[in-house]
Amino acid sequence: MTIPHLPVIIIGAGQAGLSVSWYLCAEGIEHLVLERHRRFESWRNNRWDSFCLVTPNWQCRLPGWPYRGPDPDGFMLKDQIVDYVDGFADSFDPPLREGVDVTRVWQQGGVYHLTTSLGAFIADQVVVATGGYDRPIVPPYAERIDPAITQMHSRDYRRPSQLPQGGTLIVGTGQSGVQLMEDLHRDGRPVHLAVGPAPRSPRKYRGRDATDWLHDAGHYKITIDRHPDPAKALSQTNHYMSGRDGGKEIDLRRFALEGVRLYGSMAGAAGTQVQFLPDLEKNLDDADRSYLGIRTQIDAWIAAQGIDAPVEPPFVKVWRPEQEVTGIDLAEQGITSILWAIGFRPDYGWLELDCFDAQGRPEYRRGVTRVPGAYFIGLGWLNTWGSGRFLGIDEDSRHLATQIVARDRQVRAA
């Protein structure tokens, strides 16, 4: 039986993989997109019911398919996002096979061999567009928690009614953690929050969304090789804010005044006993420092451009912890569930290519690896802040397509 041999295979049919496909279709490059589930699976099935974008709709700029709706400064809800990306895919009919699991990729004889649930394939070039959200992170000590306590990862959360009556401890204050906190708080649930070191951002500031100011100031054009602290950029959790109700900033101090119980970073657990680090005030202060730094950056841009913009009142800390609580008993606090919102790890165990560092992280320059014909797309800071978001995917995929087309010509000429 002859093994299908294609010039290019793209693994993953999210917005990143299909953006590369859009450019390859435009260039007339034969290729195939393989997707383990359905296209845009994460948008369809790995988001909670009230999920909405954190960045404004105008930043949705997929190739040939910019946001065209009536609310460019708004924040699309989950179903609207699915409609948007489905419309993008329908606009060019990519060569896509869904329900195909790629279990192994290796290079031999100058080509790439793929083992899949559909059979074997050979490709001259391979684009990895699987993202970095393969394995939900849950700490090892979660196994020692009393089984009477319901545990759930943020990926599986959809709505408050999934959780038993009683209080919920949410662990993590990245974008998911703080938004799930608000979702449960608005539902009238008792909420406890283990506050990590995530930074926060203003939402509206001096008459505009903060992301609008930062875009105008060129912040989103800074590339990782020109970033003043690339290691921090690559490791830092995303700034938290919200697109809910038209967009707002999240100040955890205000939620504390409304009854949300705040603790420091979670350090361990066994039975119904949970331990926290004494870093709550530090983490709140650090988040505020990030928040004020962005305000200062915007102020400097406004002043340099001579823009007439309204002045905001100075920031005031409306709450601070009276003491650092380093341990609680879940049963005594009426906590019946824990929501883990501490992120994900990628899984590249199936990718047998010499393009990883000693820690197993892919190495590349703008998505181009040292292995000829192997590429990554859709990862944070692939090139700029927008690389893992709708804003930067068009630029990244266009660059990769240029590299792919050039190599395709070399292969054909050989």
Side-chain angles (χ1 to χ4, degrees):
M1 183 177 178
T2 303
I3 299 176
H5 187 157
L6 292 101
V8 183
I9 290 181
I10 300 169
I11 306 169
Q15 61 268 22
L18 289 183
S19 291
V20 176
S21 177
W22 188 93
Y23 277 105
L24 296 185
C25 285
E27 292 286 347
I29 301 294
E30 183 186 4
H31 66 285
L32 181 64
V33 184
L34 301 178
E35 165 58 43
R36 179 185 304 173
H37 302 290
R38 293 177 62 191
R39 67 188 191 188
F40 312 118
E41 173 69 13
S42 291
W43 292 118
R44 295 183 197 281
N45 296 317
N46 294 339
R47 302 292 193 276
W48 54 94
D49 293 351
S50 64
F51 180 90
C52 62
L53 290 179
V54 174
T55 51
N57 295 334
W58 63 261
Q59 292 195 16
C60 296
R61 300 177 173 182
L62 295 180
W65 200 255
Y67 174 81
R68 297 185 177 94
D71 190 13
D73 296 319
F75 306 87
M76 284 189 283
L77 300 173
K78 172 185 171 182
D79 290 345
Q80 294 172 316
I81 301 167
V82 172
D83 288 344
Y84 169 70
V85 292
D86 272 342
F88 164 63
D90 291 341
S91 72
F92 72 103
D93 191 24
L96 168 64
R97 295 295 299 269
E98 296 175 311
V100 181
D101 191 11
V102 179
T103 57
R104 187 185 178 204
V105 177
W106 74 101
Q107 190 182 37
Q108 183 178 342
V111 295
Y112 294 92
H113 296 260
L114 289 80
T115 301
T116 83
S117 58
L118 191 62
F121 289 88
I122 295 174
D124 297 322
Q125 302 185 75
V126 171
V127 180
V128 180
T130 54
Y133 301 98
D134 299 301
R135 296 179 176 176
I137 297 175
V138 175
Y141 57 75
E143 297 179 355
R144 302 195 295 270
I145 295 174
D146 188 334
I149 304 297
T150 297
Q151 297 187 54
M152 182 181 295
H153 193 273
S154 60
R155 187 177 70 175
D156 301 314
Y157 174 81
R158 298 294 177 268
R159 62 195 68 88
S161 62
Q162 283 179 289
L163 301 175
Q165 291 299 313
T168 299
L169 171 62
I170 300 173
V171 183
T173 47
Q175 289 179 358
S176 294
V178 297
Q179 291 177 65
L180 299 189
M181 175 273 294
E182 184 185 20
D183 204 43
L184 291 169
H185 180 61
R186 288 171 62 141
D187 193 61
R189 301 287 187 112
V191 180
H192 301 248
L193 182 65
V195 178
R200 74 183 186 98
S201 170
R203 179 81 270 177
K204 295 289 193 299
Y205 182 62
R206 300 194 66 176
R208 301 177 71 198
D209 195 276
T211 61
D212 292 356
W213 288 121
L214 294 174
H215 181 268
D216 290 352
H219 178 78
Y220 300 137
K221 292 183 179 180
I222 298 173
T223 58
I224 190 64
D225 58 354
R226 293 193 296 113
H227 195 282
D229 192 347
K232 180 180 178 181
L234 290 169
S235 62
Q236 187 177 56
T237 303
N238 290 330
H239 293 71
Y240 60 81
M241 52 184 170
S242 175
R244 198 163 182 173
D245 301 329
K248 56 188 174 184
E249 65 189 40
I250 299 290
D251 183 353
L252 296 181
R253 300 179 193 271
R254 295 190 179 278
F255 280 95
L257 291 178
E258 295 177 9
V260 175
R261 297 285 300 275
L262 304 184
Y263 311 93
S265 305
M266 192 162 170
T272 61
Q273 301 296 315
V274 174
Q275 292 79 47
F276 304 101
L277 297 178
D279 61 1
L280 172 58
E281 187 155 28
K282 177 182 184 301
N283 289 341
L284 292 174
D285 287 345
D286 287 349
D288 290 339
R289 190 174 298 110
S290 170
Y291 167 86
L292 292 170
I294 293 173
R295 287 175 45 142
T296 298
Q297 184 178 351
I298 293 171
D299 289 338
W301 168 255
I302 290 173
Q305 301 301 311
I307 299 171
D308 183 14
V311 177
E312 298 279 345
F315 168 69
V316 176
K317 296 179 182 180
V318 297
W319 178 90
R320 63 178 298 271
E322 295 181 359
Q323 62 179 355
E324 294 281 351
V325 177
T326 56
I328 61 172
D329 184 291
L330 298 174
E332 289 181 359
Q333 295 294 327
I335 295 172
T336 58
S337 59
I338 296 175
L339 264 178
W340 301 105
I342 50 179
F344 299 81
R345 291 189 180 93
D347 178 11
Y348 296 120
W350 51 275
L351 195 58
E352 301 173 14
L353 301 178
D354 184 23
C355 58
F356 297 94
D357 64 15
Q359 287 72 44
R361 296 171 299 203
E363 294 184 310
Y364 47 73
R365 182 176 176 83
R366 295 195 68 179
V368 181
T369 75
R370 60 176 173 262
V371 182
Y375 313 91
F376 286 85
I377 188 75
L379 300 177
W381 283 103
L382 191 86
N383 186 44
T384 65
W385 175 88
S387 290
R389 300 167 174 83
F390 282 123
L391 181 64
I393 287 173
D394 185 13
E395 180 181 10
D396 288 347
S397 57
R398 182 170 60 248
H399 174 75
L400 279 198
T402 300
Q403 305 299 311
I404 292 168
V405 169
R407 179 161 180 81
D408 182 72
R409 290 171 179 164
Q410 292 176 356
V411 170
R412 291 176 182 277

